[in-house]
Amino acid sequence: MKRIATQKNGFWKRVAINVPFVLMIALMIALFGGGLLLIFYSIASLFAFKSSMIFLILAGAGLIAIGAGLGLIVAYKKYFEFYNKKMGWEYPDAPKKEDKSVVDGKKTFKDYVTLPNVALVVLALGALFTIISAALGCINRDKWVDDTKTFMESNGYYSNVEHRTHKDTILETGTSDRINRIEINFIEKQAVIIYTTDADKLGSVNYDYYVKFSNQLSFTRSKDGTVTITESAPPVIEETALKKLFFFIFKDFDVEKQVLIYLPEDTKEDMPNYIEIVGENVIYAVTETPDESESQN
């Protein structure tokens, strides 16, 4: 039978003392799930990239997560003992644990195979894999580019995202080929319109952007003063299991999605040199001052 000392444990005290159980279980699920996913991806990476560095960093991270999850099980058991004591729960009929760790005064190998020791071994192995991966260059971005180059290029992408700039001279108002309109035809990218007072950018439209494959962005300027910016569809990737697993490496990060378009401040709407912006996926930023431009660079 168990006895509960309810008279000294109010409702809110019982709620508070149970919260760590929920948090530990949730964290254990996240660590074990994330660890197993990383182990799975580490094996898949061997077939996709044939890189020991990528395998070791993913496997190491996965083992560290699993080791931490095993450590939480140990913490859970410790907290459960504290919980019983704090709540005043007693189990007088529970069988007493016998010490079987010593046979003829000596410990056997099996006696060392305990949950805390297993957790430490898994953590140590994960740390070792991570250290070896660091020695192989995982902290160097260029090494990641080199190891994923073949996979990226075989699917029609550059081995590394390329940063580019482009400039169109506006010309004076009244001239036949002056820029009067900018048309945005984007699929995934986003145009960020920035009106600037920077002297280096006056008299022209300046573009700052990233591309991941050939002809991803194209700029055309017609005689009626219209600049058209078009985003091409990405290369068609063969639907294989590996390419589906690593779909995210073909996607742009948020910064890479943005196409920064710098316009002189006097080209705003209702200004004498107004340039019309047409299209979707367009946002307008605040006017940039020269000081702000220098700080971004």
Short mmCIF file of all heavy atoms in Angstrom, two decimals, residues 183-227:
data_model
loop_
_atom_site.label_atom_id
_atom_site.label_comp_id
_atom_site.label_asym_id
_atom_site.label_seq_id
_atom_site.Cartn_x
_atom_site.Cartn_y
_atom_site.Cartn_z
N GLU A 183 9.78 46.28 -63.71
CA GLU A 183 8.84 45.17 -63.58
C GLU A 183 9.53 44.00 -62.89
O GLU A 183 10.62 43.58 -63.29
CB GLU A 183 8.32 44.73 -64.96
CG GLU A 183 7.39 45.74 -65.61
CD GLU A 183 6.75 45.21 -66.88
OE1 GLU A 183 7.06 44.05 -67.26
OE2 GLU A 183 5.96 45.95 -67.49
N ILE A 184 8.88 43.46 -61.87
CA ILE A 184 9.43 42.36 -61.08
C ILE A 184 8.67 41.09 -61.41
O ILE A 184 7.45 41.01 -61.20
CB ILE A 184 9.31 42.65 -59.56
CG1 ILE A 184 9.86 44.05 -59.22
CG2 ILE A 184 9.98 41.56 -58.75
CD1 ILE A 184 11.33 44.21 -59.42
N ASN A 185 9.36 40.08 -61.93
CA ASN A 185 8.75 38.78 -62.22
C ASN A 185 9.51 37.70 -61.45
O ASN A 185 10.40 37.06 -61.98
CB ASN A 185 8.79 38.48 -63.72
CG ASN A 185 7.98 39.48 -64.53
OD1 ASN A 185 6.89 39.87 -64.13
ND2 ASN A 185 8.52 39.90 -65.66
N PHE A 186 9.14 37.53 -60.18
CA PHE A 186 9.84 36.59 -59.31
C PHE A 186 8.98 35.38 -59.00
O PHE A 186 7.75 35.46 -58.96
CB PHE A 186 10.24 37.27 -58.00
CG PHE A 186 11.41 38.24 -58.14
CD1 PHE A 186 11.74 39.10 -57.10
CD2 PHE A 186 12.17 38.28 -59.31
CE1 PHE A 186 12.80 39.99 -57.24
CE2 PHE A 186 13.22 39.16 -59.44
CZ PHE A 186 13.54 40.02 -58.40
N ILE A 187 9.65 34.25 -58.77
CA ILE A 187 8.98 33.01 -58.36
C ILE A 187 9.09 32.84 -56.84
O ILE A 187 8.09 32.72 -56.14
CB ILE A 187 9.59 31.79 -59.08
CG1 ILE A 187 9.47 31.96 -60.59
CG2 ILE A 187 8.91 30.50 -58.62
CD1 ILE A 187 10.23 30.90 -61.39
N GLU A 188 10.33 32.83 -56.34
CA GLU A 188 10.57 32.68 -54.91
C GLU A 188 11.30 33.87 -54.30
O GLU A 188 11.18 34.13 -53.10
CB GLU A 188 11.37 31.40 -54.64
CG GLU A 188 10.63 30.11 -54.98
CD GLU A 188 11.42 28.88 -54.58
OE1 GLU A 188 12.56 29.03 -54.11
OE2 GLU A 188 10.89 27.77 -54.75
N LYS A 189 12.05 34.58 -55.09
CA LYS A 189 12.82 35.70 -54.56
C LYS A 189 11.90 36.86 -54.21
O LYS A 189 10.73 36.92 -54.61
CB LYS A 189 13.89 36.13 -55.56
CG LYS A 189 15.08 35.16 -55.62
CD LYS A 189 16.22 35.73 -56.41
CE LYS A 189 17.42 34.81 -56.41
NZ LYS A 189 18.05 34.72 -55.08
N GLN A 190 12.46 37.81 -53.48
CA GLN A 190 11.70 38.96 -53.00
C GLN A 190 12.48 40.23 -53.29
O GLN A 190 13.66 40.33 -52.96
CB GLN A 190 11.43 38.83 -51.49
CG GLN A 190 10.59 39.93 -50.90
CD GLN A 190 10.36 39.72 -49.42
OE1 GLN A 190 11.33 39.65 -48.65
NE2 GLN A 190 9.12 39.60 -49.01
N ALA A 191 11.82 41.21 -53.91
CA ALA A 191 12.46 42.48 -54.21
C ALA A 191 12.32 43.41 -53.00
O ALA A 191 11.21 43.59 -52.48
CB ALA A 191 11.83 43.12 -55.44
N VAL A 192 13.43 43.97 -52.57
CA VAL A 192 13.43 44.93 -51.46
C VAL A 192 13.83 46.29 -52.04
O VAL A 192 14.98 46.48 -52.46
CB VAL A 192 14.40 44.51 -50.34
CG1 VAL A 192 14.35 45.53 -49.20
CG2 VAL A 192 14.05 43.11 -49.84
N ILE A 193 12.89 47.21 -52.10
CA ILE A 193 13.12 48.53 -52.67
C ILE A 193 13.67 49.46 -51.58
O ILE A 193 13.03 49.65 -50.54
CB ILE A 193 11.84 49.13 -53.26
CG1 ILE A 193 11.18 48.12 -54.23
CG2 ILE A 193 12.13 50.45 -53.96
CD1 ILE A 193 12.04 47.71 -55.38
N ILE A 194 14.86 50.00 -51.83
CA ILE A 194 15.51 50.88 -50.85
C ILE A 194 15.80 52.22 -51.53
O ILE A 194 16.57 52.28 -52.50
CB ILE A 194 16.82 50.27 -50.32
CG1 ILE A 194 16.57 48.88 -49.72
CG2 ILE A 194 17.48 51.19 -49.30
CD1 ILE A 194 17.83 48.12 -49.35
N TYR A 195 15.16 53.26 -51.04
CA TYR A 195 15.44 54.61 -51.56
C TYR A 195 16.62 55.18 -50.78
O TYR A 195 16.65 55.13 -49.54
CB TYR A 195 14.21 55.49 -51.42
CG TYR A 195 13.09 55.05 -52.34
CD1 TYR A 195 12.01 54.30 -51.86
CD2 TYR A 195 13.12 55.37 -53.69
CE1 TYR A 195 11.00 53.89 -52.70
CE2 TYR A 195 12.09 54.95 -54.55
CZ TYR A 195 11.05 54.22 -54.05
OH TYR A 195 10.04 53.80 -54.89
N THR A 196 17.58 55.69 -51.50
CA THR A 196 18.84 56.09 -50.86
C THR A 196 19.23 57.52 -51.23
O THR A 196 18.85 58.03 -52.29
CB THR A 196 19.97 55.13 -51.25
OG1 THR A 196 21.19 55.54 -50.64
CG2 THR A 196 20.16 55.09 -52.77
N THR A 197 19.97 58.14 -50.34
CA THR A 197 20.55 59.46 -50.60
C THR A 197 22.06 59.37 -50.78
O THR A 197 22.75 60.38 -50.83
CB THR A 197 20.23 60.42 -49.42
OG1 THR A 197 20.77 59.86 -48.21
CG2 THR A 197 18.73 60.62 -49.26
N ASP A 198 22.57 58.15 -50.87
CA ASP A 198 24.00 57.92 -51.05
C ASP A 198 24.45 58.47 -52.41
O ASP A 198 23.93 58.08 -53.45
CB ASP A 198 24.29 56.42 -50.96
CG ASP A 198 25.79 56.10 -50.95
OD1 ASP A 198 26.59 57.01 -51.26
OD2 ASP A 198 26.15 54.96 -50.64
N ALA A 199 25.42 59.35 -52.39
CA ALA A 199 25.89 59.99 -53.63
C ALA A 199 26.41 58.98 -54.64
O ALA A 199 26.27 59.18 -55.86
CB ALA A 199 26.97 61.03 -53.30
N ASP A 200 27.00 57.89 -54.17
CA ASP A 200 27.55 56.88 -55.08
C ASP A 200 26.47 56.13 -55.84
O ASP A 200 26.75 55.48 -56.85
CB ASP A 200 28.40 55.88 -54.29
CG ASP A 200 29.66 56.51 -53.72
OD1 ASP A 200 30.11 57.54 -54.29
OD2 ASP A 200 30.19 55.99 -52.73
N LYS A 201 25.22 56.20 -55.34
CA LYS A 201 24.13 55.45 -55.96
C LYS A 201 23.13 56.36 -56.67
O LYS A 201 22.12 55.87 -57.20
CB LYS A 201 23.41 54.60 -54.90
CG LYS A 201 24.30 53.51 -54.31
CD LYS A 201 23.62 52.78 -53.18
CE LYS A 201 24.54 51.72 -52.59
NZ LYS A 201 23.98 51.09 -51.38
N LEU A 202 23.37 57.66 -56.68
CA LEU A 202 22.48 58.58 -57.37
C LEU A 202 22.69 58.47 -58.88
O LEU A 202 23.79 58.22 -59.36
CB LEU A 202 22.72 60.01 -56.90
CG LEU A 202 22.46 60.28 -55.40
CD1 LEU A 202 22.72 61.75 -55.08
CD2 LEU A 202 21.05 59.89 -55.02
N GLY A 203 21.60 58.65 -59.62
CA GLY A 203 21.69 58.60 -61.07
C GLY A 203 21.66 57.20 -61.65
O GLY A 203 21.84 57.02 -62.85
N SER A 204 21.42 56.20 -60.82
CA SER A 204 21.38 54.83 -61.32
C SER A 204 20.53 53.96 -60.41
O SER A 204 20.22 54.32 -59.27
CB SER A 204 22.80 54.25 -61.40
OG SER A 204 23.40 54.22 -60.11
N VAL A 205 20.14 52.80 -60.95
CA VAL A 205 19.46 51.77 -60.16
C VAL A 205 20.51 50.70 -59.87
O VAL A 205 21.13 50.17 -60.79
CB VAL A 205 18.27 51.16 -60.91
CG1 VAL A 205 17.56 50.14 -60.02
CG2 VAL A 205 17.30 52.25 -61.35
N ASN A 206 20.71 50.39 -58.59
CA ASN A 206 21.73 49.42 -58.19
C ASN A 206 21.06 48.17 -57.64
O ASN A 206 20.14 48.26 -56.80
CB ASN A 206 22.65 50.03 -57.13
CG ASN A 206 23.49 51.17 -57.69
OD1 ASN A 206 24.60 50.97 -58.16
ND2 ASN A 206 22.94 52.39 -57.66
N TYR A 207 21.53 47.01 -58.08
CA TYR A 207 20.96 45.73 -57.66
C TYR A 207 22.02 44.93 -56.90
O TYR A 207 23.18 44.86 -57.32
CB TYR A 207 20.48 44.92 -58.87
CG TYR A 207 19.64 45.71 -59.84
CD1 TYR A 207 20.23 46.33 -60.94
CD2 TYR A 207 18.27 45.82 -59.68
CE1 TYR A 207 19.47 47.05 -61.85
CE2 TYR A 207 17.49 46.53 -60.59
CZ TYR A 207 18.10 47.15 -61.67
OH TYR A 207 17.35 47.87 -62.56
N ASP A 208 21.60 44.32 -55.82
CA ASP A 208 22.49 43.49 -55.00
C ASP A 208 21.75 42.19 -54.73
O ASP A 208 20.68 42.20 -54.10
CB ASP A 208 22.82 44.23 -53.69
CG ASP A 208 23.94 43.56 -52.91
OD1 ASP A 208 23.89 42.34 -52.74
OD2 ASP A 208 24.85 44.27 -52.46
N TYR A 209 22.30 41.03 -55.17
CA TYR A 209 21.53 39.79 -55.08
C TYR A 209 22.45 38.56 -55.08
O TYR A 209 23.67 38.68 -55.29
CB TYR A 209 20.55 39.70 -56.25
CG TYR A 209 21.21 39.76 -57.62
CD1 TYR A 209 21.49 38.59 -58.33
CD2 TYR A 209 21.56 40.98 -58.20
CE1 TYR A 209 22.09 38.63 -59.58
CE2 TYR A 209 22.17 41.03 -59.46
CZ TYR A 209 22.43 39.86 -60.14
OH TYR A 209 23.04 39.90 -61.37
N TYR A 210 21.83 37.39 -54.86
CA TYR A 210 22.54 36.11 -54.86
C TYR A 210 21.89 35.17 -55.89
O TYR A 210 20.67 35.21 -56.10
CB TYR A 210 22.47 35.44 -53.49
CG TYR A 210 23.19 36.19 -52.40
CD1 TYR A 210 22.54 37.18 -51.66
CD2 TYR A 210 24.52 35.90 -52.09
CE1 TYR A 210 23.20 37.87 -50.66
CE2 TYR A 210 25.20 36.59 -51.09
CZ TYR A 210 24.52 37.57 -50.38
OH TYR A 210 25.18 38.27 -49.39
N VAL A 211 22.70 34.33 -56.51
CA VAL A 211 22.18 33.31 -57.43
C VAL A 211 22.79 31.95 -57.10
O VAL A 211 23.92 31.86 -56.64
CB VAL A 211 22.47 33.67 -58.91
CG1 VAL A 211 21.66 34.88 -59.33
CG2 VAL A 211 23.96 33.90 -59.13
N LYS A 212 22.00 30.88 -57.36
CA LYS A 212 22.46 29.53 -57.07
C LYS A 212 22.57 28.67 -58.32
O LYS A 212 23.07 27.54 -58.25
CB LYS A 212 21.50 28.86 -56.07
CG LYS A 212 21.42 29.56 -54.72
CD LYS A 212 20.71 28.73 -53.67
CE LYS A 212 21.65 27.70 -53.10
NZ LYS A 212 21.12 27.05 -51.87
N PHE A 213 22.08 29.17 -59.45
CA PHE A 213 22.23 28.43 -60.69
C PHE A 213 22.28 29.41 -61.86
O PHE A 213 21.95 30.60 -61.72
CB PHE A 213 21.09 27.41 -60.89
CG PHE A 213 19.71 27.99 -60.80
CD1 PHE A 213 19.08 28.52 -61.92
CD2 PHE A 213 19.02 28.01 -59.59
CE1 PHE A 213 17.81 29.04 -61.86
CE2 PHE A 213 17.74 28.53 -59.51
CZ PHE A 213 17.12 29.05 -60.65
N SER A 214 22.71 28.93 -63.01
CA SER A 214 22.93 29.78 -64.17
C SER A 214 21.63 30.44 -64.63
O SER A 214 20.58 29.78 -64.70
CB SER A 214 23.52 28.94 -65.31
OG SER A 214 23.73 29.73 -66.46
N ASN A 215 21.71 31.74 -64.94
CA ASN A 215 20.56 32.51 -65.43
C ASN A 215 19.38 32.53 -64.47
O ASN A 215 18.22 32.63 -64.89
CB ASN A 215 20.09 31.97 -66.80
CG ASN A 215 21.17 32.05 -67.86
OD1 ASN A 215 21.88 33.05 -67.96
ND2 ASN A 215 21.31 30.99 -68.64
N GLN A 216 19.67 32.44 -63.17
CA GLN A 216 18.58 32.49 -62.20
C GLN A 216 17.86 33.84 -62.26
O GLN A 216 16.64 33.90 -62.14
CB GLN A 216 19.11 32.24 -60.78
CG GLN A 216 18.01 32.17 -59.73
CD GLN A 216 18.53 31.78 -58.36
OE1 GLN A 216 19.73 31.66 -58.15
NE2 GLN A 216 17.63 31.57 -57.41
N LEU A 217 18.62 34.91 -62.44
CA LEU A 217 18.03 36.24 -62.61
C LEU A 217 18.51 36.84 -63.92
O LEU A 217 19.70 36.75 -64.25
CB LEU A 217 18.42 37.17 -61.45
CG LEU A 217 17.72 37.00 -60.11
CD1 LEU A 217 18.18 38.09 -59.14
CD2 LEU A 217 16.21 37.03 -60.25
N SER A 218 17.60 37.45 -64.65
CA SER A 218 17.97 38.13 -65.88
C SER A 218 17.40 39.54 -65.87
O SER A 218 16.32 39.78 -65.33
CB SER A 218 17.45 37.36 -67.10
OG SER A 218 16.04 37.26 -67.07
N PHE A 219 18.15 40.47 -66.46
CA PHE A 219 17.75 41.88 -66.51
C PHE A 219 17.66 42.30 -67.97
O PHE A 219 18.61 42.14 -68.74
CB PHE A 219 18.79 42.76 -65.80
CG PHE A 219 18.95 42.45 -64.34
CD1 PHE A 219 19.73 41.37 -63.92
CD2 PHE A 219 18.34 43.23 -63.37
CE1 PHE A 219 19.88 41.08 -62.57
CE2 PHE A 219 18.49 42.95 -62.02
CZ PHE A 219 19.27 41.88 -61.63
N THR A 220 16.52 42.84 -68.36
CA THR A 220 16.36 43.36 -69.72
C THR A 220 15.85 44.79 -69.64
O THR A 220 15.05 45.13 -68.75
CB THR A 220 15.36 42.51 -70.54
OG1 THR A 220 14.10 42.48 -69.87
CG2 THR A 220 15.89 41.09 -70.71
N ARG A 221 16.33 45.61 -70.57
CA ARG A 221 15.93 47.02 -70.58
C ARG A 221 15.40 47.36 -71.97
O ARG A 221 16.12 47.24 -72.97
CB ARG A 221 17.13 47.89 -70.22
CG ARG A 221 16.83 49.38 -70.19
CD ARG A 221 18.01 50.12 -69.59
NE ARG A 221 17.81 51.57 -69.58
CZ ARG A 221 18.59 52.43 -68.94
NH1 ARG A 221 19.65 51.98 -68.27
NH2 ARG A 221 18.34 53.72 -68.97
N SER A 222 14.14 47.76 -72.04
CA SER A 222 13.52 48.06 -73.33
C SER A 222 13.65 49.54 -73.66
O SER A 222 13.99 50.37 -72.80
CB SER A 222 12.04 47.66 -73.31
OG SER A 222 11.35 48.39 -72.30
N LYS A 223 13.36 49.88 -74.92
CA LYS A 223 13.52 51.26 -75.37
C LYS A 223 12.49 52.20 -74.77
O LYS A 223 12.68 53.42 -74.80
CB LYS A 223 13.44 51.30 -76.90
CG LYS A 223 14.63 50.65 -77.58
CD LYS A 223 14.53 50.78 -79.09
CE LYS A 223 15.74 50.16 -79.77
NZ LYS A 223 15.67 50.29 -81.25
N ASP A 224 11.39 51.64 -74.24
CA ASP A 224 10.38 52.51 -73.62
C ASP A 224 10.71 52.84 -72.16
O ASP A 224 9.90 53.43 -71.46
CB ASP A 224 8.99 51.87 -73.72
CG ASP A 224 8.90 50.58 -72.91
OD1 ASP A 224 9.93 50.14 -72.35
OD2 ASP A 224 7.79 50.01 -72.85
N GLY A 225 11.92 52.44 -71.72
CA GLY A 225 12.35 52.79 -70.38
C GLY A 225 11.91 51.82 -69.31
O GLY A 225 11.85 52.17 -68.12
N THR A 226 11.63 50.57 -69.68
CA THR A 226 11.20 49.56 -68.71
C THR A 226 12.32 48.56 -68.48
O THR A 226 12.86 47.98 -69.43
CB THR A 226 9.95 48.81 -69.21
OG1 THR A 226 8.87 49.73 -69.37
CG2 THR A 226 9.54 47.72 -68.22
N VAL A 227 12.67 48.37 -67.21
CA VAL A 227 13.63 47.33 -66.82
C VAL A 227 12.83 46.15 -66.28
O VAL A 227 12.02 46.32 -65.36
CB VAL A 227 14.62 47.84 -65.77
CG1 VAL A 227 15.49 46.68 -65.25
CG2 VAL A 227 15.51 48.94 -66.33
#
